Amino acid sequence: MPTQYINGNKLKTHIKNLIFPVRCPYCGNVILSDEYACKNCIGQFPKSYYKKYAAGGYQCVSPFPYSGIFSRGVKNFKFNRNKNYAKQFAVVMCQCISKNYYDCSFDIVTCVPMHKKMIRKRGYNQAELLARECSKILGVPYYDTLEKFKMNKPQHSVSAKERETNVKGVFRAIDKNCVADKNILIIDDIITTGSTLGECAKILTKSGCKTICCAALCSVEID
Ligand SMILES: [Zn+2]
């Protein structure tokens, strides 16, 4: 009889971590599988969160600015197929969400959708991955509530002024019954001018939801 019994699942996780070590999303150093960042990067986390208003006056909070180690982390997550980072980012997002929206009780967590052509190209919608992980931590169900049915120019390629018109009419509600009378938390990866989140929130409002709060991983400071 072995003196030490190793649980099958624990062993699988251990082997997986040896082959694919968990990395700090901000610097790439190997960290323990239950950590969400290395100590050095945690030391650089902002002490307070960022608050912005999306178009239409919907409040949005973010734990990070879109600069330095944080923009590097989110770019690696978005463009380099580091899907696993969603889990670690969500821990920090949920700390920020709980601090700011402490008096809100959400019924649904949802995300800013991506056009299916873009999902095919990238392999995933990073906002959806963040929203699904936040939903697990917050214990609030995740639903796809919106779809992007028209392609538009990427928001980063148009001027701040054009961003609002660029997102008009590209999203629609999937099922109004699913959002009617609900308190919704909508998540995106980055908030810049807030046109995209604002347009999504507007459609959810028109679909009859009760309240909407927004959260993004990074907030771009605009001069
Ligand atoms: Zn680090």
Side-chain angles (χ1 to χ4, degrees):
M1 277 283 282
T3 50
Q4 202 183 7
Y5 172 74
I6 303 176
N7 172 288
N9 280 336
K10 267 192 182 166
L11 183 64
K12 260 189 219 162
T13 311
H14 184 64
I15 293 170
K16 199 183 128 210
N17 288 341
L18 285 177
I19 304 169
F20 305 106
V22 177
R23 291 183 183 277
C24 171
Y26 313 93
C27 68
N29 285 340
V30 174
I31 53 173
L32 296 175
S33 59
D34 58 349
E35 287 178 328
Y36 60 91
C38 74
K39 283 193 177 63
N40 183 35
C41 289
I42 292 174
Q44 295 180 60
F45 284 9
K47 297 285 172 280
S48 54
Y49 50 80
Y50 294 76
K51 204 189 268 188
K52 253 191 186 179
Y53 288 90
Y58 301 95
Q59 198 185 121
C60 179
V61 289
S62 312
F64 300 135
Y66 189 62
S67 60
I69 59 168
F70 309 110
S71 62
R72 201 162 61 217
V74 79
K75 279 177 195 157
N76 265 327
F77 170 52
K78 260 174 106 156
F79 305 114
N80 295 339
R81 298 197 168 255
N82 285 304
K83 286 167 77 173
N84 293 342
Y85 287 172
K87 230 179 199 166
Q88 291 142 300
F89 288 143
V91 174
V92 195
M93 283 187 85
C94 286
Q95 288 168 354
C96 167
I97 290 164
S98 310
K99 254 191 233 165
N100 189 67
Y101 298 127
Y102 59 89
D103 53 353
C104 303
S105 141
F106 301 116
D107 302 306
I108 289 179
V109 178
T110 194
C111 72
V112 170
M114 197 184 252
H115 195 278
K116 57 180 186 241
K117 273 189 189 165
M118 275 303 292
I119 296 180
R120 271 203 297 273
K121 201 171 153 195
R122 186 169 295 166
Y124 53 93
N125 172 3
Q126 69 280 355
E128 182 186 338
L129 298 184
L130 291 173
R132 285 186 181 277
E133 292 298 335
C134 288
S135 129
K136 284 184 213 162
I137 297 172
L138 298 170
V140 176
Y142 171 87
Y143 286 104
D144 288 321
T145 57
L146 298 162
E147 67 171 330
K148 188 172 182 182
F149 68 107
K150 273 187 195 164
M151 283 286 272
N152 59 351
K153 291 181 200 163
Q155 283 290 77
H156 62 80
S157 71
V158 300
S159 71
K161 247 185 165 179
E162 285 172 280
R163 280 172 173 255
E164 210 164 327
T165 45
N166 190 43
V167 291
K168 284 243 151 43
V170 302
F171 301 109
R172 66 183 168 207
I174 294 173
D175 179 5
K176 287 184 181 174
N177 293 326
C178 165
V179 297
D181 220 26
K182 297 285 194 298
N183 299 301
I184 299 179
L185 172 67
I186 182 163
I187 286 175
D188 204 357
D189 55 344
I190 302 166
I191 177 165
T192 307
T193 60
S195 301
T196 308
L197 268 167
E199 179 66 11
C200 289
K202 192 179 87 185
I203 295 166
L204 291 171
T205 302
K206 278 187 179 169
S207 305
C209 76
K210 202 189 268 177
T211 61
I212 303 178
C213 296
C214 313
L217 179 61
C218 292
S219 172
V220 179
E221 284 166 283
I222 309 167
D223 305 322

